[in-house]
């Protein structure tokens, strides 16, 4: 199950489950209160019967002075347990106080609680199963829609590759006839389309081998050469040294490509991109507009402005996780962004 599917599943599950639990708790509470009243009412009627023959060993009897505050034939919680007051057979200012022992009542109440608890567990698991079924069922429309979208993207990727390759090949053939600025622009545009194609191709990567020798400095210089032509006003400051890692060349190239492209795209008019390598760490810093929410920036289709597709950094994070590369982003609005890659 993919991350967005997990998020949707757990959101649907917990919302439905919590709602059912709250409703069930209210019903159980009302049942509890009603049942306790029934238990007490039943004890009260037994107390009434006891006043006729005084033979029931469940109760104890006391005679007290008449108290106008004590209502007859009503059960009270008292120190001894449950108490009720009845008229004494003889005349005089006295009342019969019938007591149901506290321990006996607690035993009766606890038995009721155990039954209720067992019933609650059954209800809990039943609601859990219902919520799981609801969450799974609610995922079906989204899965179908995403499946259609992925099929569409695969077709789009396939159709995008052919014209991009054709443009690049023909621009190189035209260069042999004469080197014109217009040809270079066409070639750069075709490379941009090709870069987008490679990004789309890695939206749902399959197994990626990590046994190739990757020269990080070479990949950076190769990308800067292209970006310098597209963004001539951006200054690239490099503090690089040879860094060879065992990984996947195409995937690492995609990571560096996306980060450097973003550093240029969202930079100031005459901004800077500072690239440095320290030990196994690549640091790319820019003087651009910054990122408002660095926590959301890796989410697919998340955008903070109208430009872009919102998939570049999502692919970067997905590839970093696959390649065991640690990525972190620090950013301040109107000051710039720093991306740090720690290679294994």
């Amino acid at each position: 199950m993919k991350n967005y599917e997990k998020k949707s599943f757990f959101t649907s599950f917990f919302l439905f489950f919590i709602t059912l639990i709250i409703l069930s708790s209210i019903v159980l509470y009302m049942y509890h209160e009603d049942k306790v009243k029934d238990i007490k009412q039943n004890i009260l009627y037994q107390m009434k019967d006891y006043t006729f023959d005084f033979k029931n060993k469940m109760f104890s009897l006391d005679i007290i002075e008449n108290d106008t505050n004590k209502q007859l034939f009503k059960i009270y919680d008292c120190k001894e347990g449950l108490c009720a007051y009845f008229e004494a057979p003889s005349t005089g200012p006295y009342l019969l106080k019938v007591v149901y022992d506290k321990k006996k009542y607690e035993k009766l109440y606890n038995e009721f609680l155990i039954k209720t608890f067992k019933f609650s567990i059954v209800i809990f698991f039943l609601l859990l199963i219902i919520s799981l079924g609801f969450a799974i069922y609610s995922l079906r429309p989204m899965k179908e829609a995403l499946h259609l979208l992925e099929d569409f993207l695969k077709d789009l990727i396939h159709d995008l590759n052919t014209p991009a390759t054709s443009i690049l090949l023909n621009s190189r053939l035209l260069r042999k006839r004469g080197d014109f600025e217009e040809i270079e622009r066409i070639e750069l545009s075709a490379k941009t389309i090709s870069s987008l194609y490679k990004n789309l191709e890695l939206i749902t990567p399959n197994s990626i081998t990590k046994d190739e020798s990757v020269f990080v400095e070479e990949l950076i210089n190769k990308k800067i050469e292209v970006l310098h032509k597209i963004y001539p006003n951006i200054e690239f400051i490099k503090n690089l040294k040879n860094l060879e890692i065992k990984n996947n060349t195409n995937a690492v190239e995609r990571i560096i490509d996306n980060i450097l492209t973003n550093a240029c795209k969202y930079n100031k008019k005459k901004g800077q991109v500072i690239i440095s390598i320290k030990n196994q760490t690549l640091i790319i810093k820019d003087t651009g507009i910054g990122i408002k929410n660095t926590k959301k920036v890796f989410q697919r289709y998340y955008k903070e402005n109208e430009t872009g597709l919102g998939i570049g950094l999502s692919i970067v994070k997905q590839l970093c996780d696959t390649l065991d590369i640690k990525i972190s982003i620090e950013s301040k609005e109107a000051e710039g962004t720093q991306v740090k890659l720690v290679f294994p």
Side-chain angles (χ1 to χ4, degrees):
M1 193 180 284
K2 297 173 184 176
N3 287 333
Y4 51 84
E5 288 179 337
K6 286 179 183 177
K7 187 177 178 181
S8 179
F9 173 80
F10 285 115
T11 301
S12 301
F13 170 74
F14 282 116
L15 281 174
F16 192 69
F17 183 66
I18 289 167
T19 304
L20 290 177
I21 285 292
I22 291 169
L23 291 172
S24 300
S25 299
I26 293 168
V27 172
L28 281 171
Y29 174 76
M30 292 171 68
Y31 169 76
H32 170 270
E33 293 298 303
D34 193 51
K35 191 67 178 175
V36 168
K37 284 180 183 178
D38 284 345
I39 291 170
K40 287 182 176 180
Q41 197 69 20
N42 187 43
I43 291 171
L44 180 63
Y45 280 109
Q46 290 182 51
M47 286 176 170
K48 177 66 176 174
D49 294 339
Y50 173 72
T51 59
F52 293 123
D53 53 18
F54 306 109
K55 290 181 179 179
N56 197 330
K57 293 181 181 179
M58 292 172 60
F59 306 106
S60 59
L61 183 67
D62 194 8
I63 297 173
I64 62 168
E65 289 186 5
N66 195 354
D67 187 351
T68 55
N69 293 325
K70 301 295 183 184
Q71 189 177 341
L72 299 177
F73 199 65
K74 182 180 178 181
I75 202 155
Y76 292 92
D77 289 306
C78 56
K79 191 185 291 184
E80 301 94 332
L82 295 179
C83 305
Y85 302 92
F86 302 91
E87 289 182 348
S90 61
T91 58
Y94 298 104
L95 291 175
L96 292 177
K97 180 183 178 182
V98 182
V99 179
Y100 186 71
D101 186 66
K102 189 175 183 179
K103 289 183 180 179
K104 291 178 181 178
Y105 176 68
E106 285 177 352
K107 183 182 177 183
L108 186 66
Y109 179 70
N110 287 335
E111 286 175 358
F112 161 68
L113 275 186
I114 290 168
K115 287 180 183 178
T116 307
F117 180 71
K118 289 178 179 178
F119 180 70
S120 300
I121 290 173
V122 174
I123 292 295
F124 176 84
F125 282 105
L126 184 63
L127 294 181
L128 189 69
I129 293 166
I130 291 170
S131 300
L132 282 170
F134 174 79
I136 292 166
Y137 181 76
S138 66
L139 273 181
R140 286 180 63 188
M142 186 187 76
K143 276 189 169 184
E144 288 172 3
L146 288 171
H147 182 70
L148 288 171
L149 181 61
E150 286 180 359
D151 287 343
F152 169 75
L153 281 173
K154 286 175 184 176
D155 294 338
L156 179 66
I157 291 165
H158 180 267
D159 292 339
L160 186 65
N161 185 40
T162 305
T165 306
S166 178
I167 292 168
L168 278 170
L169 288 172
N170 282 286
S171 63
R172 286 169 187 169
L173 289 172
L174 284 170
R175 271 186 180 277
K176 293 179 180 180
R177 299 184 183 182
D179 196 3
F180 302 103
E181 188 179 343
E182 289 80 2
I183 296 173
E184 187 175 355
R185 288 176 186 170
I186 292 168
E187 199 169 33
L188 286 172
S189 297
K191 285 179 179 178
T192 303
I193 295 170
S194 179
S195 178
L196 176 61
Y197 158 74
K198 289 176 182 177
N199 278 346
L200 291 170
E201 196 175 34
L202 288 169
I203 281 181
T204 51
N206 297 320
S207 58
I208 296 177
T209 57
K210 296 183 283 184
D211 55 357
E212 299 173 2
S213 294
V214 182
F215 297 93
V216 178
E217 186 182 3
E218 286 183 15
L219 296 178
I220 293 168
N221 289 328
K222 181 182 173 183
K223 186 59 186 176
I224 288 175
E225 189 180 341
V226 176
L227 289 172
H228 188 67
K229 294 175 183 178
I230 301 172
Y231 303 96
N233 294 322
I234 298 293
E235 181 185 3
F236 293 93
I237 300 171
K238 297 187 289 183
N239 182 19
L240 305 176
K241 63 177 183 179
N242 293 328
L243 175 59
E244 182 183 352
I245 59 172
K246 281 289 179 183
N247 221 305
N248 184 279
T249 304
N250 186 42
V252 174
E253 186 179 4
R254 288 295 88 224
I255 293 169
I256 293 170
D257 185 290
N258 277 288
I259 295 171
L260 284 175
T261 301
N262 283 348
C264 296
K265 189 189 292 185
Y266 303 110
N267 214 319
K268 296 173 183 176
K269 285 186 178 179
K270 293 185 178 180
Q272 294 179 331
V273 178
I274 303 102
I275 309 148
S276 59
I277 294 175
K278 294 178 182 178
N279 300 323
Q280 294 289 109
T281 304
L282 170 63
I283 301 169
I284 300 172
K285 188 176 180 180
D286 65 61
T287 56
I289 60 175
I291 299 169
K292 294 177 184 176
N293 195 332
T294 54
K295 291 180 181 178
K296 287 186 176 182
V297 78
F298 291 127
Q299 293 179 10
R300 188 171 293 180
Y301 309 124
Y302 173 75
K303 298 192 294 182
E304 292 190 344
N305 49 66
E306 293 179 359
T307 60
L309 297 173
I311 60 171
L313 286 178
S314 169
I315 292 168
V316 166
K317 183 66 170 70
Q318 191 175 2
L319 288 173
C320 284
D321 291 343
T322 305
L323 302 175
D324 299 319
I325 299 170
K326 294 179 182 177
I327 182 170
S328 59
I329 292 183
E330 295 176 7
S331 185
K332 288 185 179 179
E333 286 188 72
E335 290 186 23
T337 302
Q338 177 179 287
V339 182
K340 189 181 287 185
L341 298 171
V342 181
F343 298 101

